[in-house]
Amino acid sequence: MWLPGEDLSNDGGVLFGAPAVAFLFAHRGLGLYGALDAGVFLQSLMLSAHARGLGTCAQGALGVWAAPVRALFDVAPDYRLLVGVSIALLIITALGV
């Protein structure tokens, strides 16, 4: 499990070497509409990050980290982890990537 302030750069490829990650939860009671709202929020977050020179990668596979993330941040049990988002400085190369 990662701790706040811990170096995430050697993550074994889980976060693609990104130094930061955000986890997006939705309340179970909101059902499908909660997931839809969260998706719209996620898109806005990623576009806003890009406008500020940050690259993002939404990763549904980070859902396997639900238990440690829930414990670390004391997330209430009625919230489910939908997605994680790796966040890093955007670096543009000669190839445009």
Side-chain angles (χ1 to χ4, degrees):
M1 177 169 58
W2 294 306
L3 300 174
E6 186 177 345
D7 180 12
L8 301 179
S9 60
N10 187 17
D11 62 14
V14 174
L15 301 178
F16 299 103
V21 62
F23 293 97
L24 186 60
F25 287 80
H27 193 278
R28 291 182 189 277
L30 297 176
L32 181 61
Y33 296 109
L36 177 63
D37 289 346
V40 172
F41 170 79
L42 177 62
Q43 177 185 13
S44 297
L45 174 72
M46 294 175 74
L47 289 170
S48 179
H50 182 78
R52 289 161 177 76
L54 297 173
T56 58
C57 180
Q59 299 170 257
L62 289 180
V64 301
W65 292 97
V69 170
R70 185 178 304 285
L72 183 63
F73 296 104
D74 194 28
V75 178
D78 5 332
Y79 287 85
R80 61 183 175 179
L81 177 58
L82 300 177
V83 64
V85 184
S86 299
I87 305 168
L89 286 177
L90 185 60
I91 299 172
I92 306 296
T93 66
L95 297 174
V97 180

